Amino acid sequence: MPAIPPLPELAVPDAYRTTVESWQRFTGSLRLHGQGTEAAVQVERCAAGRLQGAYPAGAHDVEVRIESEVRGDVLTTLLRTLVGAVRAADARCRRIVYAVDEGGVEKIEAAEAAGFRYVVDVDVQDLELSLLVAEPSWVTATDMDLDLAHVPGT
């Protein structure tokens, strides 16, 4: 596996007042105030954190966890903000992962409204989680010329 780069500090837009509670090499804790909410947020490199064995994590993949009970449109707005901050801080990040308790339909819907897509259910420690990812267009772009005549070995 390639070396895991340090987690860059996030510049969260001015709509939120941000307090950095801790920041280490692969993980950080923030408290965001604004948009009618206060939220505790954890940010972690997936390859070095709790998801490291859950899926084939890339070195630049980042998990965002919202520790506060935030729901609906507020959760959607917060997730969009965090995706923008992660992408601005690390242009090589392929996946921003948001994990919810398996079956957490309301949080899944809020994440999907923020541009995440459901990928897989995993077991991590004593938790059953549904993983959703937000990926930039350079990751999801597909060559639509899938004619078998162009596939090597056919």
Side-chain angles (χ1 to χ4, degrees):
M1 171 185 276
I4 302 167
L7 184 67
E9 289 188 34
L10 303 184
V12 179
D14 291 337
Y16 291 95
R17 191 176 81 246
T18 306
T19 305
V20 176
E21 295 184 336
S22 71
W23 209 264
Q24 299 171 4
R25 183 167 171 81
F26 301 125
T27 186
S29 297
L30 305 169
R31 185 160 300 274
L32 304 179
H33 307 269
Q35 304 292 315
T37 191
E38 178 179 331
V41 176
Q42 298 282 17
V43 185
E44 185 170 57
R45 286 284 188 208
C46 296
R50 71 178 185 156
L51 298 179
Q52 66 183 327
Y55 76 98
H60 288 264
D61 291 3
V62 172
E63 179 187 10
V64 294
R65 287 193 307 267
I66 300 170
E67 304 291 334
S68 306
E69 194 55 41
V70 181
R71 298 187 173 279
D73 292 340
V74 174
L75 177 58
T76 298
T77 300
L78 185 55
L79 287 169
R80 275 192 196 121
T81 299
L82 291 168
V83 166
V86 170
R87 286 187 179 155
D90 185 356
R92 294 182 63 195
C93 179
R94 295 178 62 88
R95 287 177 211 90
I96 300 165
V97 180
Y98 178 62
V100 302
D101 291 335
E102 192 173 7
V105 176
E106 183 180 340
K107 289 185 178 182
I108 290 171
E109 289 173 349
E112 288 174 338
F116 285 77
R117 67 180 174 81
Y118 166 81
V119 177
V120 68
D121 291 332
V122 298
D123 293 332
V124 176
Q125 298 157 0
D126 293 334
L127 303 172
E128 294 177 358
L129 301 172
S130 294
L131 301 186
L132 295 99
V133 299
E135 297 168 309
S137 59
W138 60 267
V139 172
T140 59
T142 304
D143 182 359
M144 296 313 293
D145 187 13
L146 297 178
D147 185 330
L148 288 179
H150 293 96
V151 177
T154 60

